[in-house]
Amino acid sequence: KQEVTQIPAALSVPEGENLVLNCSFTDSAIYNLQWFRQDPGKGLTSLLLIQSSQREQTSGRLNASLDKSSGRSTLYIAASQPGDSATYLCAVRPSYNTDKLIFGTGTRLQVFP
Amino acid sequence: EAQVTQNPRYLITVTGKKLTVTCSQNMNHEYMSWYRQDPGLGLRQIYYSMNVEVTDKGDVPEGYKVSRKEKRNFPLILESPSPNQTSLYFCASSSGLVTGELFFGEGSRLTVL
């Protein structure tokens, strides 16, 4: 059974720092992995989608990497800003059941000025 | 503007009183899905739909019904709500189940007394 874990559950950093959020999954048979951002009281916003054949995806200050064999993905945020404060979730789509999307419980990030 | 719209955003109701949460998307997406989000449990899929008149159960379908009579709409029906259905509900849609990004609505916070 696929399980997705995000550690740490919460992170607080000063503005300007480069930081890495981690996502681990137990079964390497995935079709793709997606990173989302969730602001308090809001829905999820898709940040990056990485197909299983890809190693990384970049969008602005965000870079997501995928290492299927080790069951890990990282979201790198460069030069963090207070506006980056939110909860970040990763989700994997298993190869054996592409109808499903299995979510981690998220990392709550606070960037202070 | 491309979006997924849910209504109502907030609702307090009593046990046993039928309610419907509507979801509509304007992106001509074939795939739509409902999730609930609970503290410590993350996002769990309730039902999903691959296309009009095609619906399937997710991980936690008990106590819920859905219908997909039109491509753009995917309402979630609680025939007889109970307190354990108090949660934050999200509707999502995607152009392609496997390769497409998932777009979420703003969420509907439901409290059942």
Side-chain angles (χ1 to χ4, degrees):
Chain A
K1 178 187 172 187
Q2 177 73 271
E3 292 182 1
V4 181
T5 305
Q6 292 184 249
I7 295 174
L11 184 62
S12 184
V13 300
E15 181 177 8
E17 277 206 5
N18 301 323
L19 55 98
V20 174
L21 306 181
N22 297 297
C23 172
S24 300
F25 44 96
T26 55
D27 188 341
S28 61
I30 66 169
Y31 202 94
N32 58 36
L33 182 146
Q34 195 165 354
W35 280 94
F36 296 87
R37 168 188 173 134
Q38 184 176 22
D39 293 285
K42 299 281 190 178
L44 282 71
T45 302
S46 177
L47 297 174
L48 291 163
L49 172 68
I50 310 177
Q51 302 297 340
S52 62
S53 59
Q54 298 173 319
R55 296 284 292 182
E56 64 179 303
Q57 282 283 345
T58 298
S59 176
R61 293 182 295 108
L62 305 179
N63 175 277
S65 67
L66 175 63
D67 184 343
K68 267 198 341 176
S69 60
S70 67
R72 290 177 53 189
S73 176
T74 60
L75 179 67
Y76 175 83
I77 303 176
S80 58
Q81 304 169 358
D84 294 329
S85 298
T87 297
Y88 291 81
L89 297 104
C90 67
V92 301
R93 189 178 300 283
S95 300
Y96 59 82
N97 185 349
T98 54
D99 294 340
K100 295 184 68 68
L101 199 63
I102 301 171
F103 284 84
T105 51
T107 294
R108 189 171 66 253
L109 172 67
Q110 182 182 11
V111 181
F112 54 90
Chain B
E1 180 189 353
Q3 58 186 1
V4 178
T5 304
Q6 297 177 225
N7 280 295
R9 295 287 315 281
Y10 302 91
L11 179 63
I12 300 174
T13 190
V14 295
T15 298
K17 186 175 181 181
K18 179 180 178 180
L19 67 92
T20 299
V21 185
T22 64
C23 174
S24 180
Q25 49 94 5
N26 63 0
M27 294 169 278
N28 201 36
H29 285 169
E30 292 186 345
Y31 176 84
M32 297 185 75
S33 182
W34 276 102
Y35 293 86
R36 60 178 289 174
Q37 186 176 35
D38 301 287
L41 296 176
L43 277 142
R44 295 177 293 169
Q45 190 179 52
I46 304 171
Y47 269 95
Y48 64 95
S49 169
M50 303 287 284
N51 213 327
V52 175
E53 301 293 0
V54 179
T55 62
D56 278 296
K57 295 178 181 179
D59 294 317
V60 288
E62 296 78 19
Y64 305 94
K65 285 175 58 177
V66 293
S67 68
R68 188 88 182 276
K69 294 185 172 60
E70 306 166 279
K71 197 173 188 179
R72 62 182 294 128
N73 296 322
F74 190 44
L76 179 70
I77 303 157
L78 286 73
E79 293 273 2
S80 183
S82 62
N84 64 12
Q85 292 179 297
T86 293
S87 186
L88 181 57
Y89 291 87
F90 289 102
C91 180
S93 73
S94 175
S95 60
L97 176 59
V98 174
T99 59
E101 292 182 26
L102 205 57
F103 294 88
F104 280 78
E106 296 267 283
S108 296
R109 184 166 294 281
L110 170 65
T111 301
V112 183
L113 301 175

